[in-house]
Amino acid sequence: MTTIREAVFGLLRRHGMTTVFGNPGSNELLFLKDFPSEFRYILGLHEGAVMAMADGYAQASGQSPLVSLHSAAGTGSSMGVLPNTVYAKSPVVVLSGQQVRDTVGQDVMVSSQEAALLPRPLSKWSTEPLGAGDVLRSLAQAIHIANLAPKGPTHVSVPYDDWEREAGENADFTVGRAVADATALADRHLDEITASLDAASHPVLVLGPEVDATHANDDAVRLAERLAAPVWVAPSPARCPFPTTHPLFQGVLPANVVGIAQLLSRHDAVLVVGAPVFRYHHQHPGRYLADGSRLIHISNDPSEVARAPFGDAYLAPIDDALARLAGNVQARDASPPPRSERAAGIDRANRMHPDTVFRAISDLAPEDAIHVVESTSTAESFWSNVAMRHQGSFYSAAAGGLGFGLPAAVGVQLAQPERRVVAEIGDGSANFGLVGLWTAARYRIPVTFVVLRNDTYGALVSFGRRLSATGLPGFELPDIDFVQLANGYGVAAESVCTEARLRESLTKAFAGDEPVLIEAHTYYE
Ligand code: TPP
């Protein structure tokens, strides 16, 4: 007889889901029993870190990992990070362990009373099958839903006495199914968008994370070059869709209405691809776009196209749309607009400006290094200083929820063992996912963690100024010793205060093949 557990492992194998991130409890042991040797289980010491590792892995590999969590408590602990997974459109499949089916009604220890409901607002789909006979099909459904556009996390709760039951005579049908997504922009829509772009005098591109997620970066470059159009990255980027070294690259749009409208004001056609229109953050109201400007939006997400407050939208796969538009629009000749330069920040005694840190990393890391960034007040400095040329070079918390960056870097490195991963993390942010260091040490995952230690929640200081909120309590973070913390989790670490020492430490870290943490003393002004 084939048990449900055996059939589910067959299903996971069929979908290449042989990496399982988890933190187990009693409800999960019969699922993990006789764990097949071709699968790997990556243990995280807190479910927030488990989820962030899985999210990073999913984004960097394009494959779904399975996340195994313990009942309500484990699922609940993961939920601080889940908003990022939703907004990153990351196809993570979560399996949470439920108590024995017949006992859940009695509310026995570690049962989850509303298991399907618990993560529902933070997942694309969540269920608890009504009987053991529907466990395999429900998990298959979770995998397919997670991977159909727009991708996103799904959740299934399974009572643990189900695993040893018989899978039934139809299991092979469920395991063997293939589900294909829609793949093409409609021809009529291609012609409409092409005509609008060809008729424009000054088109501009605004690119979002889905360009990188669908590996359409090279086609974005071709389209920009054909149109001779400057390229902006959509606000609060979670990925890097366009080479920052390209002459047409302009930078990242600010996350407010007036700032965007001003920067795009000289363009009569604004083509937004693979991003929401727009994910504003700072309240600065005004007209969305200058008069005479028209916005065209291409997204693979029905919710995104429906909720945008302006612009004409087309629902289409991003990679196909960009490839065909690049081949269709008329080529033009225009010299790239000049990029506004920022003056580099100046170091102080024993405190570096963040520019110094990012410049050193950019100079010394391999040219195809991957950056996983959660350093909130230094975004502008990062984008001005770090060169990124390839697909999959940048990941950041897609919903701004701290606790993603440090463990996500571990997952990204697992997914991309041939490339070096650098995690640039603020000293405040680092604490939300610090236990990820233990996983890096335990499995010898060679991430270079750079903690920018400015001893404060810098972003909140600047937000406070913006909102004229004076008399705020408790933003200082003195006396956190990241060298000792890293050593405690088994990661070698150094503290540096000057550019020369930082460069030495980075050179050593990139020459080695172990995880390393560098505590870089910086300042916030
Ligand atoms: N809790 C979560 C889970 N996510 C958040 N985004 C916040 C709280 C609010 N928050 C936004 S930025 C920030 C906080 C607490 C400070 C981060 O400080 P740090 O990592 O030191 O970076 P800095 O701003 O100093 O560059």
Side-chain angles (χ1 to χ4, degrees), residues 51 66-72 74-76 78-79 82 91-98 112 114-129 138-139 141-143 145-146 152-158:
M51 185 60 73
L66 185 77
V67 170
S68 170
L69 300 179
H70 178 57
S71 193
T75 308
S78 77
M79 282 168 55
L82 255 181
V92 174
V93 178
V94 181
L95 174 62
S96 64
Q98 175 65 289
S112 181
E114 299 280 5
L117 198 59
L118 187 65
R120 191 163 282 161
L122 300 176
S123 44
K124 196 175 163 196
W125 186 71
S126 174
T127 195
E128 182 170 72
S138 297
L139 266 159
Q141 186 174 354
I143 293 168
I145 290 178
T154 55
H155 167 253
V156 183
S157 161
V158 177

mmCIF file of all heavy atoms in Angstrom, residues 51 66-72 74-76 78-79 82 91-98 112 114-129 138-139 141-143 145-146 152-158:
data_model
loop_
_atom_site.group_PDB
_atom_site.id
_atom_site.type_symbol
_atom_site.label_atom_id
_atom_site.label_comp_id
_atom_site.label_asym_id
_atom_site.label_seq_id
_atom_site.Cartn_x
_atom_site.Cartn_y
_atom_site.Cartn_z
ATOM 1 N N MET A 51 10.503 31.083 7.199
ATOM 2 C CA MET A 51 9.712 31.616 6.089
ATOM 3 C C MET A 51 10.566 32.519 5.195
ATOM 4 O O MET A 51 10.480 32.458 3.963
ATOM 5 C CB MET A 51 8.514 32.400 6.638
ATOM 6 C CG MET A 51 7.569 32.892 5.581
ATOM 7 S SD MET A 51 6.855 31.572 4.594
ATOM 8 C CE MET A 51 5.732 30.882 5.783
ATOM 9 N N LEU A 66 9.090 23.636 0.064
ATOM 10 C CA LEU A 66 8.036 23.334 1.033
ATOM 11 C C LEU A 66 8.487 23.902 2.368
ATOM 12 O O LEU A 66 9.661 23.815 2.730
ATOM 13 C CB LEU A 66 7.846 21.818 1.159
ATOM 14 C CG LEU A 66 6.665 21.434 2.060
ATOM 15 C CD1 LEU A 66 5.345 21.615 1.320
ATOM 16 C CD2 LEU A 66 6.788 19.986 2.546
ATOM 17 N N VAL A 67 7.544 24.501 3.087
ATOM 18 C CA VAL A 67 7.839 24.991 4.436
ATOM 19 C C VAL A 67 7.008 24.172 5.417
ATOM 20 O O VAL A 67 5.787 24.084 5.270
ATOM 21 C CB VAL A 67 7.493 26.489 4.553
ATOM 22 C CG1 VAL A 67 7.572 26.949 5.996
ATOM 23 C CG2 VAL A 67 8.420 27.312 3.697
ATOM 24 N N SER A 68 7.670 23.550 6.376
ATOM 25 C CA SER A 68 6.965 22.713 7.343
ATOM 26 C C SER A 68 6.946 23.425 8.697
ATOM 27 O O SER A 68 7.995 23.669 9.294
ATOM 28 C CB SER A 68 7.694 21.365 7.451
ATOM 29 O OG SER A 68 7.196 20.624 8.529
ATOM 30 N N LEU A 69 5.732 23.773 9.148
ATOM 31 C CA LEU A 69 5.600 24.553 10.379
ATOM 32 C C LEU A 69 4.738 23.807 11.390
ATOM 33 O O LEU A 69 3.936 22.939 11.024
ATOM 34 C CB LEU A 69 4.960 25.909 10.082
ATOM 35 C CG LEU A 69 5.700 26.813 9.100
ATOM 36 C CD1 LEU A 69 4.923 28.114 8.900
ATOM 37 C CD2 LEU A 69 7.118 27.110 9.574
ATOM 38 N N HIS A 70 4.858 24.215 12.639
ATOM 39 C CA HIS A 70 4.162 23.525 13.712
ATOM 40 C C HIS A 70 2.873 24.233 14.099
ATOM 41 O O HIS A 70 2.898 25.282 14.751
ATOM 42 C CB HIS A 70 5.094 23.423 14.930
ATOM 43 C CG HIS A 70 4.431 22.763 16.104
ATOM 44 N ND1 HIS A 70 3.892 21.506 16.036
ATOM 45 C CD2 HIS A 70 4.233 23.186 17.382
ATOM 46 C CE1 HIS A 70 3.376 21.182 17.214
ATOM 47 N NE2 HIS A 70 3.571 22.187 18.048
ATOM 48 N N SER A 71 1.757 23.652 13.684
ATOM 49 C CA SER A 71 0.442 24.040 14.188
ATOM 50 C C SER A 71 0.223 25.555 14.210
ATOM 51 O O SER A 71 0.815 26.292 13.420
ATOM 52 C CB SER A 71 0.254 23.427 15.585
ATOM 53 O OG SER A 71 -1.099 23.513 15.978
ATOM 54 N N ALA A 72 -0.643 26.031 15.114
ATOM 55 C CA ALA A 72 -0.983 27.464 15.155
ATOM 56 C C ALA A 72 0.209 28.311 15.574
ATOM 57 O O ALA A 72 0.460 29.380 15.012
ATOM 58 C CB ALA A 72 -2.151 27.692 16.115
ATOM 59 N N GLY A 74 3.532 27.779 15.315
ATOM 60 C CA GLY A 74 4.574 27.905 14.296
ATOM 61 C C GLY A 74 4.101 28.728 13.116
ATOM 62 O O GLY A 74 4.832 29.580 12.597
ATOM 63 N N THR A 75 2.875 28.492 12.689
ATOM 64 C CA THR A 75 2.332 29.265 11.568
ATOM 65 C C THR A 75 2.242 30.737 11.971
ATOM 66 O O THR A 75 2.629 31.629 11.215
ATOM 67 C CB THR A 75 0.940 28.723 11.171
ATOM 68 O OG1 THR A 75 1.062 27.316 10.969
ATOM 69 C CG2 THR A 75 0.426 29.370 9.908
ATOM 70 N N GLY A 76 1.757 30.969 13.191
ATOM 71 C CA GLY A 76 1.654 32.348 13.693
ATOM 72 C C GLY A 76 3.008 33.033 13.717
ATOM 73 O O GLY A 76 3.133 34.187 13.304
ATOM 74 N N SER A 78 5.443 32.612 11.838
ATOM 75 C CA SER A 78 5.942 32.910 10.482
ATOM 76 C C SER A 78 5.253 34.124 9.875
ATOM 77 O O SER A 78 5.703 34.668 8.872
ATOM 78 C CB SER A 78 5.695 31.712 9.557
ATOM 79 O OG SER A 78 4.321 31.660 9.173
ATOM 80 N N MET A 79 4.149 34.542 10.479
ATOM 81 C CA MET A 79 3.284 35.492 9.779
ATOM 82 C C MET A 79 3.813 36.919 9.720
ATOM 83 O O MET A 79 3.378 37.698 8.862
ATOM 84 C CB MET A 79 1.872 35.443 10.368
ATOM 85 C CG MET A 79 1.121 34.207 9.840
ATOM 86 S SD MET A 79 -0.418 33.831 10.679
ATOM 87 C CE MET A 79 -1.296 35.353 10.539
ATOM 88 N N LEU A 82 5.347 36.825 6.384
ATOM 89 C CA LEU A 82 4.494 36.435 5.242
ATOM 90 C C LEU A 82 4.029 37.587 4.339
ATOM 91 O O LEU A 82 3.905 37.384 3.127
ATOM 92 C CB LEU A 82 3.270 35.666 5.746
ATOM 93 C CG LEU A 82 3.261 34.152 5.527
ATOM 94 C CD1 LEU A 82 1.960 33.551 6.062
ATOM 95 C CD2 LEU A 82 3.429 33.772 4.067
ATOM 96 N N PRO A 91 6.406 31.747 -4.665
ATOM 97 C CA PRO A 91 5.561 30.538 -4.657
ATOM 98 C C PRO A 91 5.920 29.542 -3.558
ATOM 99 O O PRO A 91 6.230 28.383 -3.828
ATOM 100 C CB PRO A 91 5.816 29.955 -6.048
ATOM 101 C CG PRO A 91 7.216 30.349 -6.361
ATOM 102 C CD PRO A 91 7.432 31.707 -5.723
ATOM 103 N N VAL A 92 5.864 29.984 -2.336
ATOM 104 C CA VAL A 92 6.199 29.119 -1.194
ATOM 105 C C VAL A 92 4.951 28.308 -0.803
ATOM 106 O O VAL A 92 3.862 28.864 -0.696
ATOM 107 C CB VAL A 92 6.638 29.992 0.006
ATOM 108 C CG1 VAL A 92 6.843 29.145 1.254
ATOM 109 C CG2 VAL A 92 7.905 30.761 -0.337
ATOM 110 N N VAL A 93 5.122 27.007 -0.588
ATOM 111 C CA VAL A 93 4.005 26.163 -0.154
ATOM 112 C C VAL A 93 4.223 25.791 1.312
ATOM 113 O O VAL A 93 5.235 25.194 1.666
ATOM 114 C CB VAL A 93 3.900 24.898 -1.024
ATOM 115 C CG1 VAL A 93 2.759 24.003 -0.527
ATOM 116 C CG2 VAL A 93 3.677 25.278 -2.490
ATOM 117 N N VAL A 94 3.280 26.190 2.147
ATOM 118 C CA VAL A 94 3.416 25.975 3.589
ATOM 119 C C VAL A 94 2.533 24.798 4.012
ATOM 120 O O VAL A 94 1.348 24.739 3.666
ATOM 121 C CB VAL A 94 2.987 27.235 4.378
ATOM 122 C CG1 VAL A 94 3.166 27.017 5.879
ATOM 123 C CG2 VAL A 94 3.774 28.451 3.917
ATOM 124 N N LEU A 95 3.131 23.883 4.759
ATOM 125 C CA LEU A 95 2.399 22.740 5.293
ATOM 126 C C LEU A 95 2.467 22.840 6.811
ATOM 127 O O LEU A 95 3.554 22.776 7.383
ATOM 128 C CB LEU A 95 3.094 21.457 4.820
ATOM 129 C CG LEU A 95 2.602 20.133 5.356
ATOM 130 C CD1 LEU A 95 1.150 19.878 4.958
ATOM 131 C CD2 LEU A 95 3.490 19.000 4.819
ATOM 132 N N SER A 96 1.309 23.067 7.458
ATOM 133 C CA SER A 96 1.385 23.131 8.913
ATOM 134 C C SER A 96 0.757 21.876 9.504
ATOM 135 O O SER A 96 -0.216 21.329 8.975
ATOM 136 C CB SER A 96 0.732 24.399 9.456
ATOM 137 O OG SER A 96 -0.637 24.414 9.191
ATOM 138 N N GLY A 97 1.356 21.413 10.589
ATOM 139 C CA GLY A 97 0.931 20.166 11.212
ATOM 140 C C GLY A 97 -0.237 20.403 12.165
ATOM 141 O O GLY A 97 -0.182 21.298 13.016
ATOM 142 N N GLN A 98 -1.276 19.597 11.987
ATOM 143 C CA GLN A 98 -2.469 19.681 12.839
ATOM 144 C C GLN A 98 -2.476 18.477 13.783
ATOM 145 O O GLN A 98 -1.847 17.446 13.499
ATOM 146 C CB GLN A 98 -3.711 19.691 11.920
ATOM 147 C CG GLN A 98 -5.062 19.647 12.584
ATOM 148 C CD GLN A 98 -5.368 20.881 13.421
ATOM 149 O OE1 GLN A 98 -4.764 21.059 14.490
ATOM 150 N NE2 GLN A 98 -6.289 21.721 12.963
ATOM 151 N N SER A 112 -4.986 23.331 16.163
ATOM 152 C CA SER A 112 -5.149 24.674 15.608
ATOM 153 C C SER A 112 -6.612 24.817 15.210
ATOM 154 O O SER A 112 -7.067 24.183 14.259
ATOM 155 C CB SER A 112 -4.222 24.840 14.399
ATOM 156 O OG SER A 112 -4.341 26.123 13.867
ATOM 157 N N GLU A 114 -8.610 27.205 13.997
ATOM 158 C CA GLU A 114 -9.016 27.829 12.724
ATOM 159 C C GLU A 114 -7.821 27.765 11.781
ATOM 160 O O GLU A 114 -7.351 28.790 11.275
ATOM 161 C CB GLU A 114 -9.441 29.279 12.955
ATOM 162 C CG GLU A 114 -10.619 29.461 13.884
ATOM 163 C CD GLU A 114 -11.957 29.204 13.194
ATOM 164 O OE1 GLU A 114 -11.966 28.790 12.016
ATOM 165 O OE2 GLU A 114 -12.987 29.404 13.865
ATOM 166 N N ALA A 115 -7.350 26.544 11.559
ATOM 167 C CA ALA A 115 -6.060 26.391 10.856
ATOM 168 C C ALA A 115 -6.064 27.028 9.469
ATOM 169 O O ALA A 115 -5.097 27.682 9.077
ATOM 170 C CB ALA A 115 -5.703 24.916 10.765
ATOM 171 N N ALA A 116 -7.144 26.835 8.711
ATOM 172 C CA ALA A 116 -7.155 27.391 7.349
ATOM 173 C C ALA A 116 -7.282 28.904 7.376
ATOM 174 O O ALA A 116 -6.739 29.613 6.541
ATOM 175 C CB ALA A 116 -8.291 26.786 6.544
ATOM 176 N N LEU A 117 -8.003 29.388 8.388
ATOM 177 C CA LEU A 117 -8.262 30.835 8.487
ATOM 178 C C LEU A 117 -7.011 31.616 8.892
ATOM 179 O O LEU A 117 -6.800 32.749 8.444
ATOM 180 C CB LEU A 117 -9.365 31.047 9.529
ATOM 181 C CG LEU A 117 -10.104 32.358 9.531
ATOM 182 C CD1 LEU A 117 -10.778 32.600 8.186
ATOM 183 C CD2 LEU A 117 -11.164 32.334 10.651
ATOM 184 N N LEU A 118 -6.200 30.965 9.740
ATOM 185 C CA LEU A 118 -5.095 31.685 10.398
ATOM 186 C C LEU A 118 -4.236 32.515 9.428
ATOM 187 O O LEU A 118 -4.131 33.717 9.592
ATOM 188 C CB LEU A 118 -4.245 30.684 11.202
ATOM 189 C CG LEU A 118 -3.149 31.269 12.076
ATOM 190 C CD1 LEU A 118 -3.726 32.111 13.198
ATOM 191 C CD2 LEU A 118 -2.291 30.145 12.664
ATOM 192 N N PRO A 119 -3.643 31.913 8.398
ATOM 193 C CA PRO A 119 -2.786 32.741 7.524
ATOM 194 C C PRO A 119 -3.517 33.229 6.273
ATOM 195 O O PRO A 119 -2.873 33.715 5.348
ATOM 196 C CB PRO A 119 -1.687 31.757 7.129
ATOM 197 C CG PRO A 119 -2.368 30.441 7.062
ATOM 198 C CD PRO A 119 -3.533 30.483 8.031
ATOM 199 N N ARG A 120 -4.852 33.124 6.244
ATOM 200 C CA ARG A 120 -5.556 33.375 4.966
ATOM 201 C C ARG A 120 -5.335 34.779 4.404
ATOM 202 O O ARG A 120 -5.059 34.918 3.217
ATOM 203 C CB ARG A 120 -7.050 33.081 5.118
ATOM 204 C CG ARG A 120 -7.752 33.070 3.785
ATOM 205 C CD ARG A 120 -9.096 32.413 3.822
ATOM 206 N NE ARG A 120 -9.018 30.958 3.821
ATOM 207 C CZ ARG A 120 -10.000 30.160 4.204
ATOM 208 N NH1 ARG A 120 -11.130 30.673 4.647
ATOM 209 N NH2 ARG A 120 -9.863 28.854 4.153
ATOM 210 N N PRO A 121 -5.410 35.849 5.216
ATOM 211 C CA PRO A 121 -5.196 37.172 4.592
ATOM 212 C C PRO A 121 -3.783 37.352 4.066
ATOM 213 O O PRO A 121 -3.530 38.253 3.276
ATOM 214 C CB PRO A 121 -5.455 38.163 5.738
ATOM 215 C CG PRO A 121 -6.040 37.377 6.845
ATOM 216 C CD PRO A 121 -5.674 35.950 6.652
ATOM 217 N N LEU A 122 -2.867 36.512 4.511
ATOM 218 C CA LEU A 122 -1.469 36.655 4.105
ATOM 219 C C LEU A 122 -1.040 35.510 3.199
ATOM 220 O O LEU A 122 0.139 35.169 3.123
ATOM 221 C CB LEU A 122 -0.563 36.705 5.343
ATOM 222 C CG LEU A 122 -0.851 37.862 6.296
ATOM 223 C CD1 LEU A 122 0.023 37.783 7.532
ATOM 224 C CD2 LEU A 122 -0.601 39.187 5.589
ATOM 225 N N SER A 123 -1.993 34.878 2.531
ATOM 226 C CA SER A 123 -1.602 33.844 1.585
ATOM 227 C C SER A 123 -2.553 33.898 0.391
ATOM 228 O O SER A 123 -3.633 34.476 0.460
ATOM 229 C CB SER A 123 -1.606 32.456 2.228
ATOM 230 O OG SER A 123 -2.735 32.277 3.014
ATOM 231 N N LYS A 124 -2.106 33.286 -0.695
ATOM 232 C CA LYS A 124 -2.936 33.297 -1.902
ATOM 233 C C LYS A 124 -4.085 32.314 -1.748
ATOM 234 O O LYS A 124 -5.168 32.508 -2.292
ATOM 235 C CB LYS A 124 -2.046 32.915 -3.096
ATOM 236 C CG LYS A 124 -2.628 33.243 -4.430
ATOM 237 C CD LYS A 124 -1.624 32.946 -5.536
ATOM 238 C CE LYS A 124 -2.350 32.874 -6.865
ATOM 239 N NZ LYS A 124 -1.526 32.230 -7.880
ATOM 240 N N TRP A 125 -3.866 31.276 -0.970
ATOM 241 C CA TRP A 125 -4.889 30.242 -0.783
ATOM 242 C C TRP A 125 -4.523 29.448 0.461
ATOM 243 O O TRP A 125 -3.342 29.191 0.715
ATOM 244 C CB TRP A 125 -4.903 29.323 -2.008
ATOM 245 C CG TRP A 125 -5.991 28.302 -2.031
ATOM 246 C CD1 TRP A 125 -7.317 28.519 -2.222
ATOM 247 C CD2 TRP A 125 -5.832 26.882 -1.875
ATOM 248 N NE1 TRP A 125 -7.993 27.305 -2.200
ATOM 249 C CE2 TRP A 125 -7.108 26.297 -2.000
ATOM 250 C CE3 TRP A 125 -4.730 26.049 -1.657
ATOM 251 C CZ2 TRP A 125 -7.322 24.928 -1.900
ATOM 252 C CZ3 TRP A 125 -4.929 24.685 -1.562
ATOM 253 C CH2 TRP A 125 -6.228 24.133 -1.687
ATOM 254 N N SER A 126 -5.530 29.092 1.241
ATOM 255 C CA SER A 126 -5.246 28.342 2.471
ATOM 256 C C SER A 126 -6.387 27.369 2.721
ATOM 257 O O SER A 126 -7.564 27.720 2.593
ATOM 258 C CB SER A 126 -5.127 29.330 3.638
ATOM 259 O OG SER A 126 -4.989 28.632 4.851
ATOM 260 N N THR A 127 -6.053 26.140 3.112
ATOM 261 C CA THR A 127 -7.100 25.146 3.320
ATOM 262 C C THR A 127 -6.689 24.122 4.370
ATOM 263 O O THR A 127 -5.503 23.997 4.707
ATOM 264 C CB THR A 127 -7.425 24.412 1.994
ATOM 265 O OG1 THR A 127 -8.655 23.717 2.121
ATOM 266 C CG2 THR A 127 -6.354 23.407 1.623
ATOM 267 N N GLU A 128 -7.699 23.411 4.876
ATOM 268 C CA GLU A 128 -7.468 22.205 5.661
ATOM 269 C C GLU A 128 -8.429 21.164 5.077
ATOM 270 O O GLU A 128 -9.656 21.344 5.157
ATOM 271 C CB GLU A 128 -7.776 22.435 7.140
ATOM 272 C CG GLU A 128 -7.509 21.212 7.993
ATOM 273 C CD GLU A 128 -7.597 21.532 9.492
ATOM 274 O OE1 GLU A 128 -8.723 21.750 9.992
ATOM 275 O OE2 GLU A 128 -6.543 21.575 10.145
ATOM 276 N N PRO A 129 -7.918 20.115 4.449
ATOM 277 C CA PRO A 129 -8.812 19.174 3.761
ATOM 278 C C PRO A 129 -9.835 18.571 4.709
ATOM 279 O O PRO A 129 -9.536 18.289 5.875
ATOM 280 C CB PRO A 129 -7.863 18.099 3.228
ATOM 281 C CG PRO A 129 -6.483 18.573 3.473
ATOM 282 C CD PRO A 129 -6.509 19.755 4.374
ATOM 283 N N SER A 138 -5.282 18.259 -2.197
ATOM 284 C CA SER A 138 -5.193 19.628 -1.669
ATOM 285 C C SER A 138 -3.767 20.161 -1.777
ATOM 286 O O SER A 138 -3.549 21.330 -2.114
ATOM 287 C CB SER A 138 -5.625 19.663 -0.197
ATOM 288 O OG SER A 138 -6.970 19.291 -0.083
ATOM 289 N N LEU A 139 -2.793 19.297 -1.493
ATOM 290 C CA LEU A 139 -1.402 19.758 -1.610
ATOM 291 C C LEU A 139 -1.039 20.032 -3.067
ATOM 292 O O LEU A 139 -0.329 21.002 -3.367
ATOM 293 C CB LEU A 139 -0.445 18.735 -0.999
ATOM 294 C CG LEU A 139 -0.148 19.086 0.460
ATOM 295 C CD1 LEU A 139 0.340 17.881 1.239
ATOM 296 C CD2 LEU A 139 0.880 20.212 0.540
ATOM 297 N N GLN A 141 -3.119 21.041 -5.309
ATOM 298 C CA GLN A 141 -3.778 22.315 -5.614
ATOM 299 C C GLN A 141 -2.946 23.485 -5.071
ATOM 300 O O GLN A 141 -2.779 24.508 -5.747
ATOM 301 C CB GLN A 141 -5.185 22.331 -5.012
ATOM 302 C CG GLN A 141 -5.993 23.560 -5.391
ATOM 303 C CD GLN A 141 -7.445 23.486 -4.907
ATOM 304 O OE1 GLN A 141 -7.885 22.457 -4.383
ATOM 305 N NE2 GLN A 141 -8.173 24.564 -5.091
ATOM 306 N N ALA A 142 -2.430 23.316 -3.866
ATOM 307 C CA ALA A 142 -1.600 24.380 -3.265
ATOM 308 C C ALA A 142 -0.369 24.655 -4.121
ATOM 309 O O ALA A 142 0.029 25.816 -4.314
ATOM 310 C CB ALA A 142 -1.187 23.974 -1.853
ATOM 311 N N ILE A 143 0.242 23.607 -4.641
ATOM 312 C CA ILE A 143 1.444 23.780 -5.481
ATOM 313 C C ILE A 143 1.069 24.501 -6.780
ATOM 314 O O ILE A 143 1.741 25.448 -7.205
ATOM 315 C CB ILE A 143 2.088 22.406 -5.780
ATOM 316 C CG1 ILE A 143 2.647 21.794 -4.492
ATOM 317 C CG2 ILE A 143 3.188 22.539 -6.836
ATOM 318 C CD1 ILE A 143 3.038 20.325 -4.606
ATOM 319 N N ILE A 145 -1.603 26.432 -7.433
ATOM 320 C CA ILE A 145 -2.030 27.827 -7.198
ATOM 321 C C ILE A 145 -0.807 28.703 -6.907
ATOM 322 O O ILE A 145 -0.690 29.812 -7.418
ATOM 323 C CB ILE A 145 -3.049 27.906 -6.046
ATOM 324 C CG1 ILE A 145 -4.378 27.275 -6.485
ATOM 325 C CG2 ILE A 145 -3.287 29.359 -5.625
ATOM 326 C CD1 ILE A 145 -5.458 27.260 -5.418
ATOM 327 N N ALA A 146 0.118 28.185 -6.120
ATOM 328 C CA ALA A 146 1.323 28.971 -5.787
ATOM 329 C C ALA A 146 2.088 29.356 -7.045
ATOM 330 O O ALA A 146 2.700 30.429 -7.106
ATOM 331 C CB ALA A 146 2.225 28.187 -4.840
ATOM 332 N N GLY A 152 2.329 33.121 -5.541
ATOM 333 C CA GLY A 152 2.172 33.560 -4.153
ATOM 334 C C GLY A 152 2.126 32.379 -3.201
ATOM 335 O O GLY A 152 1.961 31.228 -3.631
ATOM 336 N N PRO A 153 2.269 32.659 -1.911
ATOM 337 C CA PRO A 153 2.328 31.573 -0.922
ATOM 338 C C PRO A 153 0.964 30.923 -0.707
ATOM 339 O O PRO A 153 -0.072 31.591 -0.710
ATOM 340 C CB PRO A 153 2.795 32.282 0.347
ATOM 341 C CG PRO A 153 2.368 33.698 0.174
ATOM 342 C CD PRO A 153 2.419 33.984 -1.303
ATOM 343 N N THR A 154 0.967 29.614 -0.507
ATOM 344 C CA THR A 154 -0.255 28.880 -0.193
ATOM 345 C C THR A 154 -0.018 28.066 1.073
ATOM 346 O O THR A 154 1.135 27.837 1.458
ATOM 347 C CB THR A 154 -0.660 27.939 -1.353
ATOM 348 O OG1 THR A 154 0.443 27.076 -1.646
ATOM 349 C CG2 THR A 154 -1.036 28.724 -2.596
ATOM 350 N N HIS A 155 -1.101 27.638 1.701
ATOM 351 C CA HIS A 155 -0.986 26.965 2.999
ATOM 352 C C HIS A 155 -1.968 25.801 3.098
ATOM 353 O O HIS A 155 -3.147 25.946 2.718
ATOM 354 C CB HIS A 155 -1.279 27.986 4.110
ATOM 355 C CG HIS A 155 -1.500 27.366 5.460
ATOM 356 N ND1 HIS A 155 -2.747 27.292 6.062
ATOM 357 C CD2 HIS A 155 -0.639 26.765 6.321
ATOM 358 C CE1 HIS A 155 -2.634 26.695 7.244
ATOM 359 N NE2 HIS A 155 -1.377 26.367 7.425
ATOM 360 N N VAL A 156 -1.492 24.667 3.581
ATOM 361 C CA VAL A 156 -2.362 23.522 3.837
ATOM 362 C C VAL A 156 -2.073 23.007 5.243
ATOM 363 O O VAL A 156 -0.912 22.801 5.612
ATOM 364 C CB VAL A 156 -2.120 22.379 2.820
ATOM 365 C CG1 VAL A 156 -3.106 21.228 3.063
ATOM 366 C CG2 VAL A 156 -2.249 22.886 1.388
ATOM 367 N N SER A 157 -3.138 22.813 6.024
ATOM 368 C CA SER A 157 -2.993 22.227 7.362
ATOM 369 C C SER A 157 -3.402 20.755 7.277
ATOM 370 O O SER A 157 -4.476 20.431 6.744
ATOM 371 C CB SER A 157 -3.902 22.991 8.333
ATOM 372 O OG SER A 157 -4.135 22.227 9.493
ATOM 373 N N VAL A 158 -2.556 19.870 7.808
ATOM 374 C CA VAL A 158 -2.851 18.437 7.700
ATOM 375 C C VAL A 158 -2.772 17.773 9.077
ATOM 376 O O VAL A 158 -1.720 17.825 9.733
ATOM 377 C CB VAL A 158 -1.862 17.743 6.723
ATOM 378 C CG1 VAL A 158 -2.134 16.234 6.669
ATOM 379 C CG2 VAL A 158 -1.990 18.343 5.327
#
